[in-house]
Amino acid sequence: MPPLMLVLGGICLVAVARAAGVGAHPVRSVLAGAVCGVAGLAAVALLAPYTGVTLPLNPFTGFVAAVLGLPGVILLLVLPLI
Protein backbone atom coordinates (compact mmCIF):
# COMPACT_ATOMS: atom_id res chain seq x y z
CA MET A 1 0.00 0.00 0.00
CA PRO A 2 1.40 3.44 -0.87
CA PRO A 3 2.48 5.60 2.09
CA LEU A 4 0.12 8.42 1.10
CA MET A 5 -2.85 6.08 1.37
CA LEU A 6 -1.75 5.00 4.84
CA VAL A 7 -1.43 8.62 5.95
CA LEU A 8 -4.88 9.50 4.59
CA GLY A 9 -6.35 6.40 6.23
CA GLY A 10 -4.77 7.39 9.54
CA ILE A 11 -6.18 10.90 9.27
CA CYS A 12 -9.65 9.52 8.56
CA LEU A 13 -9.35 7.13 11.48
CA VAL A 14 -8.34 9.93 13.87
CA ALA A 15 -11.18 12.16 12.61
CA VAL A 16 -13.76 9.42 13.11
CA ALA A 17 -12.41 8.59 16.57
CA ARG A 18 -12.56 12.22 17.65
CA ALA A 19 -16.10 12.63 16.31
CA ALA A 20 -17.24 9.43 18.03
CA GLY A 21 -15.56 10.42 21.30
CA VAL A 22 -17.90 13.39 21.70
CA GLY A 23 -20.94 11.22 22.45
CA ALA A 24 -21.79 9.33 25.61
CA HIS A 25 -20.92 5.89 24.17
CA PRO A 26 -17.97 6.30 21.79
CA VAL A 27 -17.24 2.61 21.20
CA ARG A 28 -20.87 1.82 20.47
CA SER A 29 -21.02 4.76 18.08
CA VAL A 30 -17.94 3.64 16.12
CA LEU A 31 -19.14 0.04 15.94
CA ALA A 32 -22.63 1.08 14.83
CA GLY A 33 -21.17 3.24 12.06
CA ALA A 34 -18.88 0.42 10.93
CA VAL A 35 -21.72 -2.11 10.89
CA CYS A 36 -23.96 0.27 8.93
CA GLY A 37 -21.19 0.94 6.41
CA VAL A 38 -20.42 -2.74 5.85
CA ALA A 39 -24.16 -3.48 5.60
CA GLY A 40 -24.50 -0.72 3.00
CA LEU A 41 -21.60 -2.16 1.02
CA ALA A 42 -23.20 -5.61 1.21
CA ALA A 43 -26.54 -4.18 0.07
CA VAL A 44 -24.89 -2.56 -2.95
CA ALA A 45 -23.19 -5.87 -3.78
CA LEU A 46 -26.42 -7.87 -3.39
CA LEU A 47 -28.50 -5.44 -5.44
CA ALA A 48 -25.91 -5.12 -8.24
CA PRO A 49 -27.65 -7.61 -10.57
CA TYR A 50 -30.86 -5.60 -10.35
CA THR A 51 -29.49 -2.05 -10.40
CA GLY A 52 -26.33 -2.43 -12.46
CA VAL A 53 -24.40 -0.41 -9.85
CA THR A 54 -21.32 -2.23 -8.65
CA LEU A 55 -18.51 -1.56 -6.22
CA PRO A 56 -15.40 -3.72 -6.23
CA LEU A 57 -15.02 -5.64 -2.99
CA ASN A 58 -11.40 -5.11 -1.95
CA PRO A 59 -9.56 -3.96 1.18
CA PHE A 60 -9.86 -0.27 0.23
CA THR A 61 -13.65 -0.30 -0.17
CA GLY A 62 -14.00 -2.37 2.99
CA PHE A 63 -11.84 0.09 4.93
CA VAL A 64 -13.79 3.09 3.65
CA ALA A 65 -17.12 1.42 4.45
CA ALA A 66 -15.98 0.40 7.95
CA VAL A 67 -14.35 3.70 8.91
CA LEU A 68 -16.66 6.22 7.26
CA GLY A 69 -19.91 4.21 7.43
CA LEU A 70 -22.78 4.91 5.05
CA PRO A 71 -21.37 8.28 3.95
CA GLY A 72 -18.25 6.39 2.88
CA VAL A 73 -20.29 3.97 0.78
CA ILE A 74 -22.12 6.89 -0.83
CA LEU A 75 -18.75 8.52 -1.48
CA LEU A 76 -17.54 5.35 -3.19
CA LEU A 77 -20.66 5.34 -5.37
CA VAL A 78 -20.38 9.02 -6.34
CA LEU A 79 -16.60 9.16 -6.79
CA PRO A 80 -16.55 7.70 -10.34
CA LEU A 81 -19.06 10.36 -11.44
CA ILE A 82 -16.76 13.22 -10.50
Side-chain angles (χ1 to χ4, degrees):
M1 213 185 274
L4 177 63
M5 196 176 257
L6 291 174
V7 170
L8 290 175
I11 291 171
C12 285
L13 192 60
V14 168
V16 168
R18 288 194 68 192
V22 174
H25 303 285
V27 175
R28 186 184 310 172
S29 176
V30 169
L31 288 177
V35 168
C36 286
V38 171
L41 189 61
V44 169
L46 289 173
L47 294 174
Y50 303 108
T51 62
V53 177
T54 61
L55 281 175
L57 298 176
N58 56 39
F60 177 72
T61 56
F63 178 78
V64 170
V67 171
L68 299 178
L70 283 178
V73 174
I74 293 169
L75 174 71
L76 289 171
L77 290 170
V78 172
L79 202 57
L81 301 176
I82 296 176

